[in-house]
Amino acid sequence: MTDQTSDTESSSEFVDTAADDELARLVEETVNALLKAVRSRQTYVAGNPLIEKFYSELCVKLAATWQELPDVSLEIDEGRLLWRDREVYSKPVAPDNFAFRFFKDGIRQLALLPGVEEGELAEFIELFARSRPAHDDDLLATLWHRDFKAVRIDYVDIMEDDGSEVPRPDRNAGAGDTLEDMTEIEAVLESGTVTEEAPDEFSDIALGEPDLLYLKREMEVEWARPIVHDVTLALLDQFEMRDQERRRQVVDILRELLPRLLAELDFSNVALIVNELQLLANKTGENETQELVTSLLRDMSEAMAEMVSVVDAEGLSPGTDELAALVGALQAEAIPTLVRAIPAVPNRQTRDRLAEALDRLVESNPGYVVDLLSAEDPMLAAEAARIVGRIGLHEAEPYLVELSNRPEDVTRQAAIEALAILGSSVGAEALSTALSDPGRDIRIAAVKSIVAVRPEGASALLAEIIGGSDSADRDQGEQMAFMRAYAVLAGDEAVPLLAKVLNGRRWWGGRRAPVTRACAARALGVVGSPTARSALEKAASDKAAPVKSAVRVALKSFNNDSDERLEAAVLPEDDERALVDDPLDLDIEIEDTTGKEGSS
Amino acid sequence: MMSSQHPGTGILSAMYGAVRALQLYPLENEVVKRGLVEVKEQADSILKLEGGLSIWVAGNYMFVNDLQVKLDLHDYASLSAFREVLRSHGVGRMEASPKSSAEDWQAFLTLIAADPEPGQPPLEALQAELQKNGVSRISVGPPSAMFEGSDAQQSAEAARHTYTRSVKVARDMMEGLVLGKAIGARRAERAVLAVVDQVLQEPATMLGMLTLRDFDDHSYVHSVNVAILSVALGDYLGFNREQLFELGFAALFHDIGKVLIPPAVLNKMGWLNDEEWRLVSQHPDFGLLMMFSVEGSEDLPYRAMLAVYEHHMKPDLSGYPRVIRRRRQGLFARIIALTEAYDAAISNYSKQFLPCSPDEAIRQLREAETGAYDAVITRAFVNMMGIFPVATLVILDTGEMGVVVAPNPNPKSLSRPLVRIIANSDGERVGDGPIRDLTERDPETNQYRRSIARSTDPERYGISVADHVA
């Protein structure tokens, strides 16, 4: 074992007395204070007052120590700390033994010097507390790299000391022997004294002020060098100028490097890599290279999409060009991530770019989004359904139908809406079923869809629901949606039922609830036929204000042509509030209105 | 570069400024007066705060009141020159008491500003002069045994230990790579930090290890040699310890890519054919890729990767590998390019070239074609190594034979190193003889007592120069 440094000097040379119990006790107390400070840092989270308390106590101890000693220099044994051969700390050897933590890494001496309290002590405690013996953290390397000025260590080479003998210099080698070959020496002696050098003999190597400035600048440039960027450039050079085998090696490295760069939010280099690789792949025109690059981008797509989305939420979005490069490089593997993440991306620019990328990817890789319709995550499946609808992916209809049967409202609604947009007969049955869905929003979505798809038998089904006994349990918005849809689909054939709702009496003589009747009135307005007018006129002087008002508006709509009426009946896409808008001054509280049936 | 000035830097700079002024101007000169006032103020400020002022010179280190003052490039010229001023007077430590007066400082600085009188021990002469001038509150002493390593044997053994272990680490890691094992960062880290410590502590001894011929593993020895030389040069340029570590790490691995080249090609006697050259010239490429397999470190060693990749480029980016995406060649690569060339020139493992003596290698570097190496770094390297680098076997004009053990502390005397005599003028071997400073003059004739007549080949005489360096 060899000492590697010697700048830690035992303080023993400063004190002549060999054993001084009082001083040893002082050092022991200081060591104990140090241990408490370390343990408090290990035990409590930063900011805890106990950390400050124990640290202050340590500083007090050190201040007292500096009155007596020039330093605290401790020899480190396996489980003990010694000061001038006196034990000042001893515990059974264990991973958490303070001395052992140093010893196991080869540290054999630890010295604290005056001034350590001015910053380095706190950092030393922090480093020690953070080092994890279980993770094989190297305390020596940690302390060495920190290069404290007032905390000094001596260490031995434990890692390489395998007991083998290191050759020792032979200082007396050949002493007494005479050199066998004297030719050179004799020649030198013959030629006499060497002429003194000319003063300017070494002017070519003198370092002048400009040289020193150059070196200083070069060092500044080196420490500021974008080393990751330059490594990236080197890898890309290798990819470009070497053979397929090298390209494969580079791609293998990039497969490891890219996630690391993403994790470090180094979008600039990620963008550079994906851009350049795509350009190079196209430039070579070789299928093998293109496949290599594509395979890498496929592997990276999910991570890239994830990082772009996640960091955007932290306000750390990539720059415009970087974003374009990243998004442009995304492959189908990014679809699930994009589908999940886009709705949560707060930055509109980022969100739009990601959405564009998603549409591009889905159009050429519809299978991915269809697969997502079966995703366990209801939000993901619902989002996939919306995308399917948006891009008109008819092949997804069977999966949408399945989705419309899932227990989560969000998935069923999204499925229904998508089926509506697709408007094909495959989904008609599902739409019809959805009219009786337990979820109110889903029923409304379904009825909207029915209007769009017009499946066979839909008007009969709507009539059954409107005339059914539980119709009045639905709120005004829903009733309005159903009746208007019925009016649109059945036309004049809807008049008998709607007229019955508006004007009819129940067996006990009571009418339906005013809100229900008002909805019927509006629906009759949509029909716009003479029979509808006739039904409306019967209710023109109804005592219920909502009914009277609705009838007035409906009759007024007879002045519009039929297209305008139908247009008015088309249900707004996203806002069912419009369905229950109250142009008739019905004083209906939208959220609270239940339209429960009652007598009048 | 270090960003904050060490508190001791101020007093050292002020003292050197005053010494320079005293060397150039008479005492009455305003520059001198200002310089002396500055010294007094700086000293008083430290004395007031700390109650004492001591300056220690230890190897490449300087300490002010026990705290090391690391010389960065900004201060390097002045502070290292001041260090040499102290050394030239044999001063290893200087202490000033709180009562030291302006007159004391003036006398002390005037004395050390003058060259020491030849023919007498400089420290004793200085102490006598101080006493004669009534300066009792500033004292000087020899270098501390604690810092200077009075036990040369121990120091040499420590250097050998570090060197041997580093070669072992290099060998194990590179052989491991051939077998598909990853590079363990921790072992490499330990080896490099030991090299850095050893170079900082005993640069000359460590540089002497370059001539060790105890190993057959030439490529591993070369890696360690280049690490030692690079760290020494980095230190000379003013790198801090952490930067030296990074440089040493890069240098240790600079040829790592060669493990993928068949030994038959690497060890081929004579010139390589085109295909063999194509392969050999790809070792920086291989090295770059292999550095990604370093394990056990949180961060990838990007700077080392670049040094590995760029060390055969030239500052104008010619050389190899070809650069498509233009960028600057890094400082590490420029340093390693130089130190590698030097080690390759003096070592006997090149199959294409015969080894040359260290001074011949230095001469070749001085005369290297423009653009082959960074010209300023080359000059810095030559300044660091001296015209006759450590471990050069020389024949003096006295007929004595010796080994260069250190460059001369006076940077103006590049060709006059310190030489350990190992054979007298009769050709009789004397083991570890005395160390001679070749700037020493005969007081009667004012001629140098000894000068180097020529360097020579240790193998010709069966001499292991490394045994005599420390």
Side-chain angles (χ1 to χ4, degrees), chain B residues 5 24 43 66 234 377:
Chain B
Q5 199 186 41
L24 295 170
D66 281 344
I377 294 175

Side-chain angles (χ1 to χ4, degrees), chain A residues 9-78:
Chain A
E9 176 68 3
S10 165
S11 54
S12 57
E13 73 170 83
F14 295 95
V15 181
D16 295 330
T17 52
D20 189 329
D21 290 343
E22 207 167 316
L23 284 178
R25 213 167 20 252
L26 180 60
V27 171
E28 190 173 351
E29 286 168 10
T30 306
V31 168
N32 282 334
L34 174 62
L35 284 171
K36 283 179 185 168
V38 166
R39 288 210 192 98
S40 68
R41 186 63 197 89
Q42 287 169 327
T43 310
Y44 306 111
V45 292
N48 187 301
L50 283 174
I51 296 174
E52 185 59 34
K53 174 181 177 288
F54 287 117
Y55 182 76
S56 301
E57 285 175 7
L58 172 59
C59 290
V60 169
K61 282 288 171 208
L62 282 169
T65 307
W66 305 144
Q67 300 294 319
E68 308 294 334
L69 290 168
D71 59 40
V72 176
S73 185
L74 303 163
E75 301 294 327
I76 297 170
D77 201 350
E78 197 167 359

Side-chain angles (χ1 to χ4, degrees), chain B residues 199-221:
Chain B
V199 169
L200 289 175
Q201 200 176 323
E202 291 285 348
T205 311
M206 212 50 193
L207 289 172
M209 297 297 112
L210 267 57
T211 56
L212 271 179
R213 296 287 178 262
D214 297 344
F215 306 94
D216 297 327
D217 311 323
H218 298 314
S219 52
Y220 315 131
V221 169

Side-chain angles (χ1 to χ4, degrees), chain B residues 336-380:
Chain B
I336 291 169
L338 194 65
T339 55
E340 173 177 66
Y342 174 80
D343 186 59
I346 65 166
S347 304
N348 59 358
Y349 43 74
S350 168
K351 305 300 176 195
Q352 284 82 43
F353 304 98
L354 288 172
C356 64
S357 62
D359 61 311
E360 172 60 16
I362 289 291
R363 191 185 64 74
Q364 287 176 14
L365 284 176
R366 284 172 69 186
E367 293 171 1
E369 59 174 302
T370 310
Y373 307 106
D374 184 304
V376 180
I377 294 175
T378 306
R379 285 207 289 278

Side-chain angles (χ1 to χ4, degrees), chain B residues 104 129-137:
Chain B
D104 291 334
E129 284 296 317
L130 286 170
Q131 196 175 10
K132 206 165 103 185
N133 285 276
V135 180
S136 59
R137 285 160 295 206

Side-chain angles (χ1 to χ4, degrees), chain B residues 413-433:
Chain B
S413 301
L414 281 173
S415 63
R416 298 197 160 273
L418 306 186
V419 173
R420 183 189 297 282
I421 304 298
I422 61 166
N424 61 27
S425 53
D426 297 327
E428 188 188 341
R429 299 276 299 272
V430 295
D432 260 4

Side-chain angles (χ1 to χ4, degrees), chain A residues 396-446:
Chain A
E397 283 173 4
Y399 303 95
L400 288 173
V401 171
E402 276 180 31
L403 195 63
S404 72
N405 291 318
R406 280 180 50 162
E408 309 91 2
D409 285 3
V410 67
T411 51
R412 294 202 311 280
Q413 181 173 346
I416 294 302
E417 286 169 351
L419 284 168
I421 294 169
L422 294 177
S424 76
S425 56
V426 178
E429 191 180 336
L431 289 177
S432 301
T433 307
L435 291 174
S436 306
D437 193 282
R440 178 256 188 197
D441 291 343
I442 297 162
R443 294 193 299 270
I444 290 180

